[in-house]
Amino acid sequence: MFGGSLGNNMMKGMVCLVAVALVVAGSASIAAAQAAGLKKGFYKKSCPQAEDIAQKVVWKHVAGNRELAAKFLRMFFHDCFVRGCDASVLLDSPTNTAEKDAPPNLSLAGFEVIDEVKAALERACPGVVSCADIVALAARDSVSFQYGKKLWEVETGRRDGTVSSDTQALNEIPAPSSTFDILLTNFSGKGLGLQDLVVLSGGHTIGIGNCNLFSSRLFNFTGKNNPTDTDPSLNPPYAKFLQGKCRRNLQAPNDNTTVVPMDPGSSTSFDSHYFVNLKARQGMFTSDATLLTNSRAAALVDKLQDNGVFFDHFKNSIKRMGQIGVLTGASGQIRNKCNVVNS
């Protein structure tokens, strides 16, 4: 970064920006074609009560466990980033090689609620509503519960995939250790842009993080055998707080039993507080903190600290995310059970 001349660095930056722009343009056109089969109220005639049935089941469970909102939002994100939004994350594998068996997905939860929604919909409208749409609806409805109204519209009409690979999940799901350039390339490859990257990161306003995913920022960060050496991009009091919570990881870096709220003081409330914390250098993961290393992303972080601005942007970004790689029309299938492909 500090080597080479200013001219060389500028040229490299221009080449990088052109490459990303080309990827975005190509991916956007593909995404548009794939999303053509989605629309608001897809089940209006075939199963008019579908969204009400799904909401009723999801709200019942979220009322007793507010942490489910973060889990369903994460499930939707992880599903869409691997093979598109096709419910492949729900499939079981007798050889433990499905997406849900990949390390990034081992902490996913809420599958039993998805199954309950599916069973209720099958009783009302057999063979009509896809598991892929159920995942999208569960994410929206669980997050919306605290406000008692739908925070965004969900386009429906997805069909279910028949392939699920743990290797693909490991390769495609953005890692919490990712730098900004890696994240932007990953999002661009899905037809999403810089704004979507920053806005969707705001989903970290709810949920928890495992210490093993960020403890490298807390202990011996520079590799000089100093256990109190922390990532300088962390707010020092916040770093000390995390060190206290993650003490076990000093001796056992891979220990995944300890969890910490991603948005301290607001971990079950979906709001813009994540960006307030991020601005104060209290982003838990490297993938959070790195948003401040890009001027455009950092400017967005400033704007998104306002609840109204965040909600307006989030509903648009998650709509775009929900269009990634969708199967529509005659592609895929409508699974009878969400965890198995139809025989």
Side-chain angles (χ1 to χ4, degrees):
M1 178 176 177
F2 295 106
S5 67
L6 177 61
N8 286 339
N9 286 337
M10 289 179 67
M11 183 62 68
K12 290 176 182 176
M14 290 173 64
V15 172
C16 180
L17 287 173
V18 170
V20 170
L22 289 172
V23 171
V24 171
S27 299
S29 62
I30 294 171
Q34 292 169 329
L38 299 181
K39 66 178 182 179
K40 178 183 173 182
F42 179 85
Y43 300 109
K44 186 175 181 179
K45 293 182 178 180
S46 58
C47 190
Q49 67 273 48
E51 293 194 27
D52 290 337
I53 291 173
Q55 178 183 283
K56 182 178 180 180
V57 175
V58 171
W59 279 21
K60 177 185 72 174
H61 286 277
V62 176
N65 181 5
R66 293 287 296 277
E67 293 182 358
L68 279 174
K71 297 186 183 302
F72 286 131
L73 190 58
R74 184 165 176 253
M75 181 188 290
F76 186 34
F77 182 92
H78 283 209
D79 183 42
C80 291
F81 264 66
V82 185
R83 304 189 65 83
C85 312
D86 67 346
S88 51
V89 74
L90 303 179
L91 289 172
D92 289 333
S93 164
T95 56
N96 297 322
T97 54
E99 287 177 32
K100 63 170 57 174
D101 300 304
N105 287 333
L106 293 178
S107 56
L108 290 181
F111 296 110
E112 71 285 352
V113 181
I114 298 294
D115 290 341
E116 185 175 334
V117 174
K118 178 62 173 175
L121 287 169
E122 285 298 301
R123 289 192 295 270
C125 314
V128 173
V129 183
S130 70
C131 298
D133 278 341
I134 292 173
V135 172
L137 291 168
R140 189 271 308 277
D141 293 339
S142 59
V143 170
S144 299
F145 173 79
Q146 78 177 87
Y147 294 98
K149 63 179 182 180
K150 297 175 180 177
L151 292 185
W152 65 87
E153 293 292 342
V154 174
E155 292 180 318
T156 44
R158 299 168 188 81
R159 290 171 65 85
D160 301 322
T162 58
V163 177
S164 187
S165 164
D166 59 341
T167 301
Q168 284 187 309
L170 188 59
N171 292 335
E172 297 291 328
I173 296 172
S177 58
S178 297
T179 60
F180 184 82
D181 288 342
I182 291 173
L183 288 172
L184 186 58
T185 298
N186 194 304
F187 273 64
S188 297
K190 307 299 180 185
L192 303 176
L194 181 147
Q195 178 169 299
D196 299 312
L197 164 59
V198 179
V199 172
L200 292 172
S201 294
H204 284 178
T205 190
I206 51 176
I208 55 178
N210 293 78
C211 282
N212 64 303
L213 298 179
F214 58 88
S215 61
S216 62
R217 304 182 71 200
L218 307 178
F219 309 109
N220 193 29
F221 178 72
T222 58
K224 297 180 180 179
N225 295 318
N226 180 358
T228 61
D229 184 19
T230 62
D231 182 344
S233 68
L234 278 171
N235 177 306
Y238 182 58
K240 188 173 183 179
F241 163 77
L242 292 177
Q243 284 180 326
K245 293 290 186 180
C246 302
R247 287 187 301 270
R248 294 179 59 156
N249 293 83
L250 177 58
Q251 302 299 327
N254 295 322
D255 179 80
N256 64 355
T257 59
T258 308
V259 296
V260 183
M262 289 191 289
D263 186 357
S266 183
S267 63
T268 59
S269 178
F270 188 81
D271 52 35
S272 61
H273 196 250
Y274 163 84
F275 296 102
V276 176
N277 278 340
L278 186 57
K279 185 68 175 177
R281 296 193 295 131
Q282 294 181 170
M284 175 175 286
F285 303 116
T286 298
S287 59
D288 296 316
T290 196
L291 299 180
L292 298 179
T293 65
N294 176 275
S295 59
R296 286 179 58 205
L300 269 172
V301 169
D302 288 341
K303 295 178 182 178
L304 293 168
Q305 293 179 68
D306 179 271
N307 251 359
V309 174
F310 172 51
F311 286 177
D312 283 345
H313 282 72
F314 191 85
K315 67 182 181 183
N316 294 323
S317 288
I318 200 164
K319 176 183 177 181
R320 285 190 286 271
M321 188 188 83
Q323 297 172 344
I324 297 174
V326 293
L327 301 172
T328 58
S331 300
Q333 60 181 215
I334 303 296
R335 289 184 213 142
N336 298 320
K337 291 187 176 181
C338 288
N339 65 327
V340 294
V341 173
N342 295 345
S343 56

